Amino acid sequence: MVVSLFLASLTVAPSLSLSLSPRTIEPALVHFLANNQTFVPELQKTKSARVLVPGCGRGYALETFSSTFFDSENIVGLEVSETARNACEAYQSENKSKAKCVVEDFFTHGVKNDDDKKYDVIYDCTFLCAIQPTQRHMWAEQMQNLTKKGSRVISLVFPLGDFKGGPPFALSAELVKSLLKNDFDVEELIQVPEDMWARGRPEYLYVFIRK
């Protein structure tokens, strides 16, 4: 179900500081997981949902997915340094989450060529906007490599606009759709209401399903 396909033209000055790390989980994700009536209940029944969060930071999303999917030990975050991993694991421990963080490059992260080992959900929030635009096709290829038919990619699209420079680099709903259209169908496009903006600026929550 597509909630909104209208995307206003938004311009954000390149000099404006855009925080990519809120001090809590994105409200739009929490609301979506709590109200989804399709794949979330199905994965909850398995109690072994496999979820990946590249660029997971302190792991707010990891803890949210862990609690949503009954402390599955298959909730994995990727970070680029031991310092980041230690901070993330400390947060998971504080919140009694079984999610884990590993130091690994998303673009070389691999799983066995076995559907049972591929991810059911990949959540991208401020990862796509942080990589170089020339790497976007690699991002899309990895999404295909790491998922199976019926898997979901959830993308929080931010920052919106047409400004130059970065990171963060400007994104749009149309851009994200164009990157994934060969291997994924649109399941939902949600225009996040202002009271749920995680960083004080407009955002969209995109949900794709693997063909």
Side-chain angles (χ1 to χ4, degrees):
M1 176 180 62
V2 179
V3 175
S4 173
L5 284 177
F6 174 77
L7 179 61
S9 176
L10 298 167
T11 302
V12 181
S15 60
L16 183 63
S17 175
L18 298 174
S19 174
L20 298 185
S21 301
R23 296 182 179 181
T24 185
I25 182 62
E26 292 76 25
L29 177 66
V30 174
H31 184 268
F32 172 78
L33 293 176
N35 291 277
N36 179 268
Q37 298 297 315
T38 55
F39 73 92
V40 171
E42 292 174 2
L43 289 175
Q44 287 174 332
K45 292 177 184 178
T46 70
K47 297 187 178 181
S48 60
R50 301 181 65 83
V51 180
L52 179 68
V53 183
C56 63
R58 287 203 67 194
Y60 300 121
L62 294 181
E63 190 276 329
T64 296
F65 279 112
S66 181
S67 60
T68 297
F69 295 123
F70 304 113
D71 294 327
S72 169
E73 297 181 356
N74 299 314
I75 312 297
V76 180
L78 301 181
E79 265 302 341
V80 296
S81 72
E82 288 294 336
T83 299
R85 182 186 68 82
N86 292 340
C88 179
E89 292 199 338
Y91 182 79
Q92 302 312 304
S93 179
E94 291 169 8
N95 289 276
K96 297 180 173 58
S97 165
K98 294 182 180 179
K100 60 185 178 182
C101 179
V102 297
V103 178
E104 193 171 347
D105 184 346
F106 169 75
F107 296 108
T108 58
H109 179 66
V111 295
K112 293 181 179 179
N113 191 22
D114 178 345
D115 281 355
D116 289 339
K117 302 298 182 182
K118 294 190 175 183
Y119 293 102
D120 299 298
V121 179
I122 301 180
Y123 178 53
D124 185 296
C125 176
T126 69
F127 183 77
L128 178 60
C129 72
I131 64 175
Q132 294 296 318
T134 54
Q135 295 177 296
R136 288 172 178 167
H137 70 286
M138 297 168 58
W139 174 88
E141 289 175 2
Q142 268 295 78
M143 290 298 182
Q144 187 272 336
N145 292 336
L146 297 173
T147 56
K148 59 190 175 184
K149 183 177 181 180
S151 295
R152 266 70 171 189
V153 168
I154 303 175
S155 174
L156 190 115
V157 187
F158 174 91
L160 303 175
D162 58 3
F163 57 89
K164 304 298 182 182
F169 296 96
L171 297 178
S172 69
E174 288 89 347
L175 171 62
V176 178
K177 180 181 178 181
S178 71
L179 291 171
L180 296 175
K181 65 180 181 181
N182 289 338
D183 300 296
F184 295 83
D185 288 324
V186 175
E187 190 165 53
E188 293 191 55
L189 173 57
I190 301 168
Q191 186 173 7
V192 178
E194 185 174 354
D195 61 354
M196 288 189 186
W197 293 350
R199 298 165 181 83
R201 291 192 170 274
E203 58 192 36
Y204 281 80
L205 189 74
Y206 232 145
V207 184
F208 297 88
I209 183 170
R210 174 74 186 279
K211 296 178 183 179

